[in-house]
Amino acid sequence: ASRYIIIAGQSNASGRGELNASNESTDSRVVTFGNDYKVHTATEPIDSPTSQVDTVSLDTVAFHSFGLRAGKDLSIAGYGNVGLIPCAKGASTLALWYATSNPLDRATLFGSCNNRRKVATGGKAVTAIWWYQGEGENASDALRQAFAANHTTFVNNASTYFGANVPIMYAQLAKNGLETFNT
């Protein structure tokens, strides 16, 4: 692949959409560096738990996600071959994504993701990070109040280890799950 994209954060990054015949078809220009540490033509679920090596990010309920469609759109837009690196973990909080003294510690979410990036890209920086996070920070007032500082820590860690100028595309999840819609 000529472009590598990390897909990280919580369950929406892992994929929770229904798997069915209307899901995205494969495209030879889009590959996944799978949780089994092998390159595959990308197919849903992108974050497949089959033969997963680093169990820290194991999501047994990974389903359809935005990943394959987004990878195909980048390829169509002229970005060449796209390599997706799924690293998400449903229900994770930001603190679980901090780099430790060993930024390649595969027993941590950050270390596992960083190691997978290193193996997939041959040690090069990634093109971008697609980051879905925030729902886990609604578990308590303390987590909500610390969100900005915790998010800054993650961004600084990602800049240090994934590439200094790597854009992080952040998807904000709903402010709360109790909002109602009038029909």
Side-chain angles (χ1 to χ4, degrees):
S2 58
R3 309 281 180 165
Y4 290 92
I5 312 291
I6 289 174
I7 302 174
Q10 293 180 281
S11 59
N12 287 303
S14 178
R16 293 301 186 267
E18 182 180 344
L19 287 172
N20 58 45
S22 67
N23 292 152
E24 290 296 322
S25 60
T26 61
D27 184 321
S28 62
R29 297 171 296 179
V30 183
V31 299
T32 301
F33 183 76
N35 287 317
D36 59 358
Y37 276 71
K38 295 178 183 172
V39 177
H40 309 269
T41 299
T43 185
E44 294 290 358
I46 296 295
D47 199 14
S48 174
T50 303
S51 302
Q52 184 149 350
V53 175
D54 295 345
T55 58
V56 67
S57 63
L58 180 66
D59 267 320
T60 59
V61 292
F63 297 118
H64 178 73
S65 71
F66 68 94
L68 179 53
R69 175 76 259 158
K72 287 169 66 173
D73 285 346
L74 285 174
S75 185
I76 290 166
Y79 287 91
N81 295 327
V82 176
L84 305 174
I85 306 170
C87 299
K89 173 63 178 165
S92 58
T93 59
L94 275 162
L96 295 174
W97 285 95
Y98 289 175
T100 63
S101 60
N102 176 1
L104 295 171
D105 180 357
R106 292 171 54 194
T108 68
L109 288 173
F110 188 90
S112 172
C113 187
N114 191 23
N115 187 68
R116 296 184 68 231
R117 181 243 358 133
K118 184 178 177 184
V119 173
T121 69
K124 298 175 189 160
V126 294
T127 302
I129 300 168
W130 290 334
W131 178 250
Y132 274 75
Q133 183 69 36
E135 186 179 8
E137 270 57 48
N138 274 318
S140 72
D141 285 340
L143 285 172
R144 282 188 288 278
Q145 292 167 356
F147 178 80
N150 290 343
H151 182 70
T152 298
T153 298
F154 169 76
V155 169
N156 290 340
N157 288 170
S159 294
T160 299
Y161 296 104
F162 299 155
N165 297 312
V166 173
I168 299 175
M169 272 69 83
Y170 174 78
Q172 179 178 350
L173 303 178
K175 291 182 181 180
N176 71 50
L178 303 177
E179 294 181 41
T180 59
F181 298 93
N182 295 325
T183 57

